[in-house]
Amino acid sequence: MSLIERVTRATLCLHLAPHGLDGVLRRAGRPVADSAFHVPILNPGASWEVALASLRGWLEQHNEKKLPLAVSLASRWCAMLMVPWSGALLDRASAQRFLHSQFAAVYGDGARAWRLAADDAPYGKPRLACGIDAALLQGVQDAAAAHGRRCLSIEPIVGPAWRSIATVKPAGSKPAAFALVEGGRLLLATSGGGRIAALHSQSCGAAWGEELDRAWRRWNLRAPQLDAIEHVALLDLSGEPQDALPARFQPVAVASAAHLMREAAWA
């Protein structure tokens, strides 16, 4: 790719959640001023089918430019799991069988209908894996293709959240932990070696500030090493401001979920 292409190319970053579609245009890795938008979705059951229909409708109405898409999905539609190391991960076919067995043990046989992927942790180390309903993934891909758009990436919002936090710190000083709050969902994660090392996910209510520290302390009971972490970066995508937060959690300003997407992740 030429330097001119790198400077001028644009990507439409979208975040699909139960109650809204957020988007922002990025050019050369930076958000374009005044390009952000939010489309509310009436979806009492938080169904991904309803949200996907809204995405199709938006693409139909805004089909004048065939910009490529980078899509993130709400955590409630993305099952996350730290899986132990296995030699089966070295082969694509056996890796899928291994991952399906791990997810089925935790989430039941319904996980066998999910598309699974794991990160590229070093040999012998546990890997962060994600499961997404195969029909949802195919639906997003088909919606993009129907309007002549390339789909550069589809991933859980936790990935862009982590990359965004990691870049606001000086080199070599990445945060040891972060919390991600979405509507009805709370995710806690620790990092190490430049990657997510452990995570905890649970449902939460509108008054999630009251639950945040309790969730951390409950997780601490299973993972005593959390005692050494004094500060946790906090990204709030819930749209539910809290009056007060525990001192441990330090908010990181973010305009929207779509703004967390960074072109460098898939360039």
Side-chain angles (χ1 to χ4, degrees):
M1 179 178 293
S2 71
L3 177 60
I4 292 177
E5 288 174 319
R6 281 190 175 274
V7 170
T8 60
R9 69 174 179 171
T11 301
L12 180 59
C13 301
L14 300 175
H15 175 67
L16 189 61
H19 304 296
L21 171 66
D22 286 282
V24 67
L25 182 65
R26 276 188 178 270
R27 181 170 283 113
R30 296 179 178 276
V32 174
D34 301 321
S35 67
F37 66 87
H38 172 77
V39 179
I41 300 174
L42 182 60
N43 188 7
S47 161
W48 64 256
E49 288 93 343
V50 173
L52 181 58
S54 293
L55 171 62
R56 292 194 190 102
W58 189 90
L59 290 172
E60 180 69 33
Q61 295 172 20
H62 300 81
N63 199 29
E64 62 280 357
K65 293 183 179 180
K66 307 294 184 181
L67 296 175
L69 306 178
V71 183
S72 64
L73 301 173
S75 295
R76 69 183 306 136
W77 299 325
C78 305
M80 309 294 293
L81 197 63
M82 296 299 302
V83 299
W85 167 256
S86 169
L89 293 168
L90 298 176
D91 175 77
R92 175 173 293 185
S94 62
Q96 281 296 298
R97 290 193 294 270
F98 173 72
L99 291 174
H100 273 114
S101 69
Q102 293 291 311
F103 274 79
V106 176
Y107 295 101
D109 286 340
R112 299 192 182 278
W114 298 348
R115 192 84 58 82
L116 305 177
D119 70 2
D120 57 351
Y123 182 92
K125 299 292 186 180
R127 295 194 171 187
L128 176 65
C130 176
I132 302 175
D133 192 303
L136 170 56
L137 277 181
Q138 191 63 53
V140 173
Q141 292 169 340
D142 290 347
H147 297 93
R149 296 177 184 263
R150 286 189 302 138
C151 206
L152 301 177
S153 64
I154 305 173
E155 61 180 322
I157 187 60
V158 66
W162 159 238
R163 294 194 297 270
S164 179
I165 293 172
T167 59
V168 301
K169 296 284 184 177
S173 181
K174 294 179 180 179
F178 71 95
L180 174 65
V181 184
E182 303 163 75
R185 203 77 198 162
L186 167 62
L187 186 143
L188 303 170
T190 62
S191 64
R195 55 184 292 271
I196 294 175
L199 57 80
H200 166 80
S201 181
Q202 66 176 66
S203 59
C204 67
W208 54 264
E210 300 174 2
E211 178 61 23
L212 195 56
D213 200 49
R214 289 198 298 268
W216 180 267
R217 286 187 275 110
R218 283 197 300 270
W219 192 26
N220 198 173
L221 294 175
R222 304 194 307 274
Q225 65 271 23
L226 299 181
D227 274 338
I229 299 176
E230 296 182 0
H231 303 295
V232 180
L234 171 64
L235 289 98
D236 174 20
L237 304 178
S238 71
E240 299 283 354
Q242 306 296 295
D243 292 334
L245 293 170
R248 182 196 308 274
F249 298 93
Q250 302 181 342
V252 175
V254 56
S256 75
H259 280 78
L260 296 175
M261 309 292 285
R262 293 183 180 272
E263 199 165 343
W266 56 82

